[in-house]
Amino acid sequence: MSKSDLVLYLSALNIGYKSQVFIVNNYNSISEFKSDIKKGVLDKTFLLKTLNKIKDNIDTLNLDIYKEKLLNNKSKYLTIYDSEFPYNLKNIQNPPLIIYYKGNLNEKFEY
């Protein structure tokens, strides 16, 4: 699985931005992250509320099913690791790690 899958997974877990940034900066895959969570390596890294949310959902969240739900809803997403991610958005302070959208992002907007 890719770094983009890790970002999507974290977004589906619905944990805070700072926690997501920490995880994507320190892990390259969902399996690596899950392994450390299960070993307790990150127990002192996150707030208890965030840690509990991760642990409560880590085995039940199926990324393929989540992707299928997005597809069925005609929703798309891009992560900051995707080449199509908007350049200007990628280069702001604290850029979103993921954007969800419907429709087409190929249009050029002039400001």
PDB file of all heavy atoms in Angstrom, residues 55-90:
ATOM      1  N   LYS A  55      -7.219   2.831  18.200  1.00  0.00           N
ATOM      2  CA  LYS A  55      -7.264   1.432  18.638  1.00  0.00           C
ATOM      3  C   LYS A  55      -8.652   0.819  18.463  1.00  0.00           C
ATOM      4  O   LYS A  55      -8.768  -0.361  18.129  1.00  0.00           O
ATOM      5  CB  LYS A  55      -6.813   1.320  20.089  1.00  0.00           C
ATOM      6  CG  LYS A  55      -5.321   1.503  20.262  1.00  0.00           C
ATOM      7  CD  LYS A  55      -4.896   1.334  21.699  1.00  0.00           C
ATOM      8  CE  LYS A  55      -3.390   1.395  21.831  1.00  0.00           C
ATOM      9  NZ  LYS A  55      -2.937   1.177  23.210  1.00  0.00           N
ATOM     10  N   ASP A  56      -9.701   1.616  18.670  1.00  0.00           N
ATOM     11  CA  ASP A  56     -11.071   1.100  18.524  1.00  0.00           C
ATOM     12  C   ASP A  56     -11.414   0.755  17.083  1.00  0.00           C
ATOM     13  O   ASP A  56     -12.286  -0.073  16.831  1.00  0.00           O
ATOM     14  CB  ASP A  56     -12.094   2.117  19.048  1.00  0.00           C
ATOM     15  CG  ASP A  56     -12.074   2.246  20.564  1.00  0.00           C
ATOM     16  OD1 ASP A  56     -11.454   1.391  21.232  1.00  0.00           O
ATOM     17  OD2 ASP A  56     -12.667   3.215  21.080  1.00  0.00           O
ATOM     18  N   ASN A  57     -10.753   1.395  16.126  1.00  0.00           N
ATOM     19  CA  ASN A  57     -11.119   1.232  14.719  1.00  0.00           C
ATOM     20  C   ASN A  57     -10.045   0.586  13.848  1.00  0.00           C
ATOM     21  O   ASN A  57     -10.294   0.320  12.676  1.00  0.00           O
ATOM     22  CB  ASN A  57     -11.481   2.601  14.126  1.00  0.00           C
ATOM     23  CG  ASN A  57     -12.717   3.171  14.755  1.00  0.00           C
ATOM     24  OD1 ASN A  57     -13.802   2.667  14.570  1.00  0.00           O
ATOM     25  ND2 ASN A  57     -12.556   4.227  15.539  1.00  0.00           N
ATOM     26  N   ILE A  58      -8.889   0.326  14.401  1.00  0.00           N
ATOM     27  CA  ILE A  58      -7.755  -0.107  13.590  1.00  0.00           C
ATOM     28  C   ILE A  58      -7.993  -1.449  12.884  1.00  0.00           C
ATOM     29  O   ILE A  58      -7.545  -1.652  11.758  1.00  0.00           O
ATOM     30  CB  ILE A  58      -6.457  -0.125  14.422  1.00  0.00           C
ATOM     31  CG1 ILE A  58      -5.258  -0.075  13.495  1.00  0.00           C
ATOM     32  CG2 ILE A  58      -6.414  -1.304  15.365  1.00  0.00           C
ATOM     33  CD1 ILE A  58      -3.999   0.384  14.158  1.00  0.00           C
ATOM     34  N   ASP A  59      -8.720  -2.330  13.507  1.00  0.00           N
ATOM     35  CA  ASP A  59      -8.954  -3.641  12.891  1.00  0.00           C
ATOM     36  C   ASP A  59     -10.266  -3.702  12.113  1.00  0.00           C
ATOM     37  O   ASP A  59     -10.453  -4.609  11.303  1.00  0.00           O
ATOM     38  CB  ASP A  59      -8.934  -4.739  13.953  1.00  0.00           C
ATOM     39  CG  ASP A  59      -7.528  -4.987  14.469  1.00  0.00           C
ATOM     40  OD1 ASP A  59      -6.579  -4.912  13.667  1.00  0.00           O
ATOM     41  OD2 ASP A  59      -7.375  -5.238  15.677  1.00  0.00           O
ATOM     42  N   THR A  60     -11.163  -2.779  12.372  1.00  0.00           N
ATOM     43  CA  THR A  60     -12.472  -2.833  11.712  1.00  0.00           C
ATOM     44  C   THR A  60     -12.543  -1.986  10.450  1.00  0.00           C
ATOM     45  O   THR A  60     -13.380  -2.243   9.592  1.00  0.00           O
ATOM     46  CB  THR A  60     -13.589  -2.397  12.674  1.00  0.00           C
ATOM     47  OG1 THR A  60     -13.317  -1.073  13.143  1.00  0.00           O
ATOM     48  CG2 THR A  60     -13.696  -3.353  13.852  1.00  0.00           C
ATOM     49  N   LEU A  61     -11.688  -0.987  10.336  1.00  0.00           N
ATOM     50  CA  LEU A  61     -11.721  -0.126   9.160  1.00  0.00           C
ATOM     51  C   LEU A  61     -11.077  -0.832   7.977  1.00  0.00           C
ATOM     52  O   LEU A  61      -9.902  -1.170   8.002  1.00  0.00           O
ATOM     53  CB  LEU A  61     -10.990   1.191   9.442  1.00  0.00           C
ATOM     54  CG  LEU A  61     -10.900   2.161   8.267  1.00  0.00           C
ATOM     55  CD1 LEU A  61     -12.285   2.594   7.800  1.00  0.00           C
ATOM     56  CD2 LEU A  61     -10.082   3.379   8.648  1.00  0.00           C
ATOM     57  N   ASN A  62     -11.869  -1.085   6.957  1.00  0.00           N
ATOM     58  CA  ASN A  62     -11.389  -1.735   5.747  1.00  0.00           C
ATOM     59  C   ASN A  62     -11.262  -0.674   4.658  1.00  0.00           C
ATOM     60  O   ASN A  62     -12.262  -0.093   4.228  1.00  0.00           O
ATOM     61  CB  ASN A  62     -12.365  -2.836   5.328  1.00  0.00           C
ATOM     62  CG  ASN A  62     -11.890  -3.587   4.118  1.00  0.00           C
ATOM     63  OD1 ASN A  62     -11.562  -3.003   3.091  1.00  0.00           O
ATOM     64  ND2 ASN A  62     -11.878  -4.905   4.227  1.00  0.00           N
ATOM     65  N   LEU A  63     -10.053  -0.405   4.222  1.00  0.00           N
ATOM     66  CA  LEU A  63      -9.802   0.661   3.261  1.00  0.00           C
ATOM     67  C   LEU A  63     -10.475   0.393   1.915  1.00  0.00           C
ATOM     68  O   LEU A  63     -10.973   1.317   1.279  1.00  0.00           O
ATOM     69  CB  LEU A  63      -8.299   0.876   3.074  1.00  0.00           C
ATOM     70  CG  LEU A  63      -7.899   2.156   2.353  1.00  0.00           C
ATOM     71  CD1 LEU A  63      -8.397   3.388   3.103  1.00  0.00           C
ATOM     72  CD2 LEU A  63      -6.403   2.222   2.185  1.00  0.00           C
ATOM     73  N   ASP A  64     -10.522  -0.853   1.487  1.00  0.00           N
ATOM     74  CA  ASP A  64     -11.176  -1.176   0.217  1.00  0.00           C
ATOM     75  C   ASP A  64     -12.673  -0.872   0.264  1.00  0.00           C
ATOM     76  O   ASP A  64     -13.241  -0.350  -0.694  1.00  0.00           O
ATOM     77  CB  ASP A  64     -10.949  -2.642  -0.161  1.00  0.00           C
ATOM     78  CG  ASP A  64      -9.496  -2.912  -0.522  1.00  0.00           C
ATOM     79  OD1 ASP A  64      -8.829  -1.992  -1.055  1.00  0.00           O
ATOM     80  OD2 ASP A  64      -9.021  -4.030  -0.269  1.00  0.00           O
ATOM     81  N   ILE A  65     -13.312  -1.175   1.378  1.00  0.00           N
ATOM     82  CA  ILE A  65     -14.736  -0.867   1.533  1.00  0.00           C
ATOM     83  C   ILE A  65     -14.946   0.643   1.580  1.00  0.00           C
ATOM     84  O   ILE A  65     -15.892   1.170   0.987  1.00  0.00           O
ATOM     85  CB  ILE A  65     -15.311  -1.555   2.790  1.00  0.00           C
ATOM     86  CG1 ILE A  65     -15.327  -3.072   2.577  1.00  0.00           C
ATOM     87  CG2 ILE A  65     -16.705  -1.033   3.124  1.00  0.00           C
ATOM     88  CD1 ILE A  65     -15.692  -3.874   3.810  1.00  0.00           C
ATOM     89  N   TYR A  66     -14.048   1.348   2.258  1.00  0.00           N
ATOM     90  CA  TYR A  66     -14.142   2.813   2.323  1.00  0.00           C
ATOM     91  C   TYR A  66     -14.012   3.423   0.922  1.00  0.00           C
ATOM     92  O   TYR A  66     -14.775   4.298   0.540  1.00  0.00           O
ATOM     93  CB  TYR A  66     -13.063   3.360   3.267  1.00  0.00           C
ATOM     94  CG  TYR A  66     -13.173   4.845   3.515  1.00  0.00           C
ATOM     95  CD1 TYR A  66     -14.207   5.366   4.271  1.00  0.00           C
ATOM     96  CD2 TYR A  66     -12.228   5.732   2.998  1.00  0.00           C
ATOM     97  CE1 TYR A  66     -14.318   6.722   4.507  1.00  0.00           C
ATOM     98  CE2 TYR A  66     -12.327   7.085   3.228  1.00  0.00           C
ATOM     99  CZ  TYR A  66     -13.360   7.578   3.985  1.00  0.00           C
ATOM    100  OH  TYR A  66     -13.470   8.929   4.212  1.00  0.00           O
ATOM    101  N   LYS A  67     -13.066   2.917   0.142  1.00  0.00           N
ATOM    102  CA  LYS A  67     -12.892   3.395  -1.237  1.00  0.00           C
ATOM    103  C   LYS A  67     -14.141   3.106  -2.075  1.00  0.00           C
ATOM    104  O   LYS A  67     -14.558   3.936  -2.885  1.00  0.00           O
ATOM    105  CB  LYS A  67     -11.672   2.739  -1.889  1.00  0.00           C
ATOM    106  CG  LYS A  67     -10.348   3.257  -1.400  1.00  0.00           C
ATOM    107  CD  LYS A  67      -9.210   2.508  -2.090  1.00  0.00           C
ATOM    108  CE  LYS A  67      -7.857   2.992  -1.654  1.00  0.00           C
ATOM    109  NZ  LYS A  67      -6.757   2.279  -2.342  1.00  0.00           N
ATOM    110  N   GLU A  68     -14.721   1.940  -1.873  1.00  0.00           N
ATOM    111  CA  GLU A  68     -15.928   1.568  -2.609  1.00  0.00           C
ATOM    112  C   GLU A  68     -17.093   2.498  -2.257  1.00  0.00           C
ATOM    113  O   GLU A  68     -17.854   2.914  -3.125  1.00  0.00           O
ATOM    114  CB  GLU A  68     -16.295   0.116  -2.290  1.00  0.00           C
ATOM    115  CG  GLU A  68     -17.436  -0.426  -3.121  1.00  0.00           C
ATOM    116  CD  GLU A  68     -17.697  -1.896  -2.824  1.00  0.00           C
ATOM    117  OE1 GLU A  68     -16.721  -2.664  -2.716  1.00  0.00           O
ATOM    118  OE2 GLU A  68     -18.880  -2.250  -2.699  1.00  0.00           O
ATOM    119  N   LYS A  69     -17.213   2.852  -0.972  1.00  0.00           N
ATOM    120  CA  LYS A  69     -18.263   3.786  -0.552  1.00  0.00           C
ATOM    121  C   LYS A  69     -18.068   5.152  -1.207  1.00  0.00           C
ATOM    122  O   LYS A  69     -19.036   5.789  -1.627  1.00  0.00           O
ATOM    123  CB  LYS A  69     -18.288   3.930   0.973  1.00  0.00           C
ATOM    124  CG  LYS A  69     -18.871   2.739   1.682  1.00  0.00           C
ATOM    125  CD  LYS A  69     -18.877   2.938   3.180  1.00  0.00           C
ATOM    126  CE  LYS A  69     -19.433   1.725   3.889  1.00  0.00           C
ATOM    127  NZ  LYS A  69     -19.466   1.902   5.350  1.00  0.00           N
ATOM    128  N   LEU A  70     -16.830   5.595  -1.284  1.00  0.00           N
ATOM    129  CA  LEU A  70     -16.554   6.870  -1.958  1.00  0.00           C
ATOM    130  C   LEU A  70     -16.960   6.794  -3.425  1.00  0.00           C
ATOM    131  O   LEU A  70     -17.607   7.707  -3.952  1.00  0.00           O
ATOM    132  CB  LEU A  70     -15.072   7.231  -1.846  1.00  0.00           C
ATOM    133  CG  LEU A  70     -14.557   7.639  -0.479  1.00  0.00           C
ATOM    134  CD1 LEU A  70     -13.038   7.783  -0.499  1.00  0.00           C
ATOM    135  CD2 LEU A  70     -15.198   8.940  -0.026  1.00  0.00           C
ATOM    136  N   LEU A  71     -16.592   5.717  -4.068  1.00  0.00           N
ATOM    137  CA  LEU A  71     -16.920   5.519  -5.477  1.00  0.00           C
ATOM    138  C   LEU A  71     -18.431   5.478  -5.699  1.00  0.00           C
ATOM    139  O   LEU A  71     -18.954   6.113  -6.615  1.00  0.00           O
ATOM    140  CB  LEU A  71     -16.260   4.239  -5.984  1.00  0.00           C
ATOM    141  CG  LEU A  71     -16.369   3.941  -7.470  1.00  0.00           C
ATOM    142  CD1 LEU A  71     -15.671   5.030  -8.289  1.00  0.00           C
ATOM    143  CD2 LEU A  71     -15.752   2.592  -7.781  1.00  0.00           C
ATOM    144  N   ASN A  72     -19.139   4.748  -4.843  1.00  0.00           N
ATOM    145  CA  ASN A  72     -20.596   4.664  -4.946  1.00  0.00           C
ATOM    146  C   ASN A  72     -21.270   6.015  -4.742  1.00  0.00           C
ATOM    147  O   ASN A  72     -22.354   6.259  -5.263  1.00  0.00           O
ATOM    148  CB  ASN A  72     -21.158   3.647  -3.941  1.00  0.00           C
ATOM    149  CG  ASN A  72     -20.804   2.228  -4.307  1.00  0.00           C
ATOM    150  OD1 ASN A  72     -20.471   1.926  -5.455  1.00  0.00           O
ATOM    151  ND2 ASN A  72     -20.845   1.335  -3.327  1.00  0.00           N
ATOM    152  N   ASN A  73     -20.632   6.874  -3.984  1.00  0.00           N
ATOM    153  CA  ASN A  73     -21.146   8.221  -3.726  1.00  0.00           C
ATOM    154  C   ASN A  73     -20.663   9.221  -4.783  1.00  0.00           C
ATOM    155  O   ASN A  73     -20.889  10.412  -4.657  1.00  0.00           O
ATOM    156  CB  ASN A  73     -20.726   8.667  -2.322  1.00  0.00           C
ATOM    157  CG  ASN A  73     -21.459   9.873  -1.842  1.00  0.00           C
ATOM    158  OD1 ASN A  73     -22.613  10.093  -2.190  1.00  0.00           O
ATOM    159  ND2 ASN A  73     -20.788  10.681  -1.042  1.00  0.00           N
ATOM    160  N   LYS A  74     -19.949   8.717  -5.784  1.00  0.00           N
ATOM    161  CA  LYS A  74     -19.355   9.545  -6.840  1.00  0.00           C
ATOM    162  C   LYS A  74     -18.397  10.590  -6.268  1.00  0.00           C
ATOM    163  O   LYS A  74     -18.242  11.677  -6.801  1.00  0.00           O
ATOM    164  CB  LYS A  74     -20.445  10.204  -7.684  1.00  0.00           C
ATOM    165  CG  LYS A  74     -21.287   9.211  -8.461  1.00  0.00           C
ATOM    166  CD  LYS A  74     -22.296   9.914  -9.335  1.00  0.00           C
ATOM    167  CE  LYS A  74     -23.010   8.996 -10.258  1.00  0.00           C
ATOM    168  NZ  LYS A  74     -23.926   8.074  -9.751  1.00  0.00           N
ATOM    169  N   SER A  75     -17.772  10.237  -5.157  1.00  0.00           N
ATOM    170  CA  SER A  75     -16.784  11.100  -4.523  1.00  0.00           C
ATOM    171  C   SER A  75     -15.388  10.638  -4.914  1.00  0.00           C
ATOM    172  O   SER A  75     -15.144   9.447  -5.066  1.00  0.00           O
ATOM    173  CB  SER A  75     -16.918  11.060  -2.998  1.00  0.00           C
ATOM    174  OG  SER A  75     -18.162  11.566  -2.599  1.00  0.00           O
ATOM    175  N   LYS A  76     -14.512  11.599  -5.067  1.00  0.00           N
ATOM    176  CA  LYS A  76     -13.124  11.312  -5.398  1.00  0.00           C
ATOM    177  C   LYS A  76     -12.244  11.965  -4.331  1.00  0.00           C
ATOM    178  O   LYS A  76     -12.705  12.784  -3.546  1.00  0.00           O
ATOM    179  CB  LYS A  76     -12.785  11.874  -6.777  1.00  0.00           C
ATOM    180  CG  LYS A  76     -13.663  11.326  -7.887  1.00  0.00           C
ATOM    181  CD  LYS A  76     -13.400  12.058  -9.181  1.00  0.00           C
ATOM    182  CE  LYS A  76     -14.410  11.666 -10.241  1.00  0.00           C
ATOM    183  NZ  LYS A  76     -14.317  12.513 -11.418  1.00  0.00           N
ATOM    184  N   TYR A  77     -10.985  11.628  -4.348  1.00  0.00           N
ATOM    185  CA  TYR A  77     -10.055  12.224  -3.403  1.00  0.00           C
ATOM    186  C   TYR A  77      -8.672  12.310  -4.030  1.00  0.00           C
ATOM    187  O   TYR A  77      -8.335  11.581  -4.950  1.00  0.00           O
ATOM    188  CB  TYR A  77      -9.996  11.418  -2.100  1.00  0.00           C
ATOM    189  CG  TYR A  77      -9.389  10.054  -2.274  1.00  0.00           C
ATOM    190  CD1 TYR A  77      -8.032   9.846  -2.058  1.00  0.00           C
ATOM    191  CD2 TYR A  77     -10.157   8.967  -2.669  1.00  0.00           C
ATOM    192  CE1 TYR A  77      -7.464   8.610  -2.238  1.00  0.00           C
ATOM    193  CE2 TYR A  77      -9.599   7.713  -2.845  1.00  0.00           C
ATOM    194  CZ  TYR A  77      -8.255   7.539  -2.627  1.00  0.00           C
ATOM    195  OH  TYR A  77      -7.685   6.309  -2.804  1.00  0.00           O
ATOM    196  N   LEU A  78      -7.910  13.233  -3.516  1.00  0.00           N
ATOM    197  CA  LEU A  78      -6.485  13.346  -3.839  1.00  0.00           C
ATOM    198  C   LEU A  78      -5.749  13.560  -2.540  1.00  0.00           C
ATOM    199  O   LEU A  78      -6.214  14.291  -1.660  1.00  0.00           O
ATOM    200  CB  LEU A  78      -6.217  14.541  -4.760  1.00  0.00           C
ATOM    201  CG  LEU A  78      -6.652  14.434  -6.204  1.00  0.00           C
ATOM    202  CD1 LEU A  78      -6.466  15.772  -6.909  1.00  0.00           C
ATOM    203  CD2 LEU A  78      -5.853  13.357  -6.922  1.00  0.00           C
ATOM    204  N   THR A  79      -4.594  12.934  -2.420  1.00  0.00           N
ATOM    205  CA  THR A  79      -3.764  13.194  -1.252  1.00  0.00           C
ATOM    206  C   THR A  79      -2.591  14.070  -1.675  1.00  0.00           C
ATOM    207  O   THR A  79      -2.280  14.203  -2.857  1.00  0.00           O
ATOM    208  CB  THR A  79      -3.227  11.896  -0.617  1.00  0.00           C
ATOM    209  OG1 THR A  79      -2.198  11.364  -1.432  1.00  0.00           O
ATOM    210  CG2 THR A  79      -4.354  10.894  -0.394  1.00  0.00           C
ATOM    211  N   ILE A  80      -1.961  14.630  -0.702  1.00  0.00           N
ATOM    212  CA  ILE A  80      -0.821  15.512  -0.949  1.00  0.00           C
ATOM    213  C   ILE A  80       0.315  14.778  -1.674  1.00  0.00           C
ATOM    214  O   ILE A  80       1.178  15.398  -2.283  1.00  0.00           O
ATOM    215  CB  ILE A  80      -0.343  16.161   0.369  1.00  0.00           C
ATOM    216  CG1 ILE A  80       0.516  17.379   0.093  1.00  0.00           C
ATOM    217  CG2 ILE A  80       0.304  15.136   1.278  1.00  0.00           C
ATOM    218  CD1 ILE A  80       0.680  18.316   1.257  1.00  0.00           C
ATOM    219  N   TYR A  81       0.287  13.459  -1.662  1.00  0.00           N
ATOM    220  CA  TYR A  81       1.312  12.662  -2.332  1.00  0.00           C
ATOM    221  C   TYR A  81       0.970  12.339  -3.784  1.00  0.00           C
ATOM    222  O   TYR A  81       1.784  11.757  -4.489  1.00  0.00           O
ATOM    223  CB  TYR A  81       1.578  11.378  -1.543  1.00  0.00           C
ATOM    224  CG  TYR A  81       2.082  11.694  -0.158  1.00  0.00           C
ATOM    225  CD1 TYR A  81       1.244  11.619   0.940  1.00  0.00           C
ATOM    226  CD2 TYR A  81       3.386  12.123   0.036  1.00  0.00           C
ATOM    227  CE1 TYR A  81       1.692  11.954   2.208  1.00  0.00           C
ATOM    228  CE2 TYR A  81       3.838  12.459   1.298  1.00  0.00           C
ATOM    229  CZ  TYR A  81       2.986  12.369   2.374  1.00  0.00           C
ATOM    230  OH  TYR A  81       3.437  12.713   3.628  1.00  0.00           O
ATOM    231  N   ASP A  82      -0.231  12.706  -4.219  1.00  0.00           N
ATOM    232  CA  ASP A  82      -0.640  12.475  -5.605  1.00  0.00           C
ATOM    233  C   ASP A  82      -0.162  13.617  -6.495  1.00  0.00           C
ATOM    234  O   ASP A  82      -0.227  14.787  -6.111  1.00  0.00           O
ATOM    235  CB  ASP A  82      -2.165  12.361  -5.706  1.00  0.00           C
ATOM    236  CG  ASP A  82      -2.708  11.162  -4.961  1.00  0.00           C
ATOM    237  OD1 ASP A  82      -2.049  10.100  -4.996  1.00  0.00           O
ATOM    238  OD2 ASP A  82      -3.781  11.280  -4.343  1.00  0.00           O
ATOM    239  N   SER A  83       0.311  13.283  -7.689  1.00  0.00           N
ATOM    240  CA  SER A  83       0.846  14.307  -8.603  1.00  0.00           C
ATOM    241  C   SER A  83      -0.220  15.308  -9.041  1.00  0.00           C
ATOM    242  O   SER A  83       0.106  16.441  -9.377  1.00  0.00           O
ATOM    243  CB  SER A  83       1.487  13.647  -9.831  1.00  0.00           C
ATOM    244  OG  SER A  83       0.528  12.882 -10.534  1.00  0.00           O
ATOM    245  N   GLU A  84      -1.488  14.921  -9.008  1.00  0.00           N
ATOM    246  CA  GLU A  84      -2.564  15.814  -9.425  1.00  0.00           C
ATOM    247  C   GLU A  84      -3.006  16.777  -8.327  1.00  0.00           C
ATOM    248  O   GLU A  84      -3.835  17.650  -8.556  1.00  0.00           O
ATOM    249  CB  GLU A  84      -3.794  14.999  -9.862  1.00  0.00           C
ATOM    250  CG  GLU A  84      -3.540  14.044 -10.995  1.00  0.00           C
ATOM    251  CD  GLU A  84      -3.075  12.671 -10.498  1.00  0.00           C
ATOM    252  OE1 GLU A  84      -3.056  12.428  -9.279  1.00  0.00           O
ATOM    253  OE2 GLU A  84      -2.706  11.848 -11.342  1.00  0.00           O
ATOM    254  N   PHE A  85      -2.480  16.615  -7.110  1.00  0.00           N
ATOM    255  CA  PHE A  85      -2.865  17.490  -5.995  1.00  0.00           C
ATOM    256  C   PHE A  85      -2.525  18.929  -6.366  1.00  0.00           C
ATOM    257  O   PHE A  85      -1.426  19.204  -6.853  1.00  0.00           O
ATOM    258  CB  PHE A  85      -2.104  17.081  -4.730  1.00  0.00           C
ATOM    259  CG  PHE A  85      -2.661  17.656  -3.457  1.00  0.00           C
ATOM    260  CD1 PHE A  85      -3.693  17.008  -2.788  1.00  0.00           C
ATOM    261  CD2 PHE A  85      -2.159  18.826  -2.921  1.00  0.00           C
ATOM    262  CE1 PHE A  85      -4.204  17.518  -1.600  1.00  0.00           C
ATOM    263  CE2 PHE A  85      -2.659  19.345  -1.738  1.00  0.00           C
ATOM    264  CZ  PHE A  85      -3.683  18.691  -1.072  1.00  0.00           C
ATOM    265  N   PRO A  86      -3.465  19.864  -6.172  1.00  0.00           N
ATOM    266  CA  PRO A  86      -3.227  21.252  -6.593  1.00  0.00           C
ATOM    267  C   PRO A  86      -1.947  21.846  -5.993  1.00  0.00           C
ATOM    268  O   PRO A  86      -1.751  21.846  -4.777  1.00  0.00           O
ATOM    269  CB  PRO A  86      -4.465  21.992  -6.078  1.00  0.00           C
ATOM    270  CG  PRO A  86      -5.519  20.941  -5.977  1.00  0.00           C
ATOM    271  CD  PRO A  86      -4.790  19.681  -5.594  1.00  0.00           C
ATOM    272  N   TYR A  87      -1.099  22.342  -6.880  1.00  0.00           N
ATOM    273  CA  TYR A  87       0.205  22.877  -6.492  1.00  0.00           C
ATOM    274  C   TYR A  87       0.088  23.986  -5.442  1.00  0.00           C
ATOM    275  O   TYR A  87       0.802  23.981  -4.441  1.00  0.00           O
ATOM    276  CB  TYR A  87       0.938  23.396  -7.735  1.00  0.00           C
ATOM    277  CG  TYR A  87       2.246  24.080  -7.422  1.00  0.00           C
ATOM    278  CD1 TYR A  87       3.391  23.329  -7.202  1.00  0.00           C
ATOM    279  CD2 TYR A  87       2.326  25.471  -7.328  1.00  0.00           C
ATOM    280  CE1 TYR A  87       4.594  23.946  -6.895  1.00  0.00           C
ATOM    281  CE2 TYR A  87       3.529  26.089  -7.024  1.00  0.00           C
ATOM    282  CZ  TYR A  87       4.654  25.329  -6.807  1.00  0.00           C
ATOM    283  OH  TYR A  87       5.836  25.947  -6.493  1.00  0.00           O
ATOM    284  N   ASN A  88      -0.788  24.949  -5.693  1.00  0.00           N
ATOM    285  CA  ASN A  88      -0.915  26.075  -4.765  1.00  0.00           C
ATOM    286  C   ASN A  88      -1.411  25.628  -3.397  1.00  0.00           C
ATOM    287  O   ASN A  88      -1.007  26.184  -2.371  1.00  0.00           O
ATOM    288  CB  ASN A  88      -1.839  27.149  -5.339  1.00  0.00           C
ATOM    289  CG  ASN A  88      -1.212  27.890  -6.495  1.00  0.00           C
ATOM    290  OD1 ASN A  88       0.012  27.922  -6.646  1.00  0.00           O
ATOM    291  ND2 ASN A  88      -2.032  28.483  -7.344  1.00  0.00           N
ATOM    292  N   LEU A  89      -2.267  24.651  -3.365  1.00  0.00           N
ATOM    293  CA  LEU A  89      -2.764  24.130  -2.095  1.00  0.00           C
ATOM    294  C   LEU A  89      -1.673  23.360  -1.359  1.00  0.00           C
ATOM    295  O   LEU A  89      -1.554  23.435  -0.139  1.00  0.00           O
ATOM    296  CB  LEU A  89      -3.976  23.233  -2.356  1.00  0.00           C
ATOM    297  CG  LEU A  89      -4.825  22.821  -1.175  1.00  0.00           C
ATOM    298  CD1 LEU A  89      -5.311  24.027  -0.389  1.00  0.00           C
ATOM    299  CD2 LEU A  89      -6.011  21.996  -1.641  1.00  0.00           C
ATOM    300  N   LYS A  90      -0.862  22.656  -2.116  1.00  0.00           N
ATOM    301  CA  LYS A  90       0.233  21.884  -1.528  1.00  0.00           C
ATOM    302  C   LYS A  90       1.270  22.785  -0.856  1.00  0.00           C
ATOM    303  O   LYS A  90       1.936  22.385   0.084  1.00  0.00           O
ATOM    304  CB  LYS A  90       0.913  21.057  -2.626  1.00  0.00           C
ATOM    305  CG  LYS A  90       1.973  20.110  -2.133  1.00  0.00           C
ATOM    306  CD  LYS A  90       2.636  19.390  -3.282  1.00  0.00           C
ATOM    307  CE  LYS A  90       2.020  18.052  -3.473  1.00  0.00           C
ATOM    308  NZ  LYS A  90       2.723  17.188  -4.422  1.00  0.00           N
TER     309      LYS A  90
END
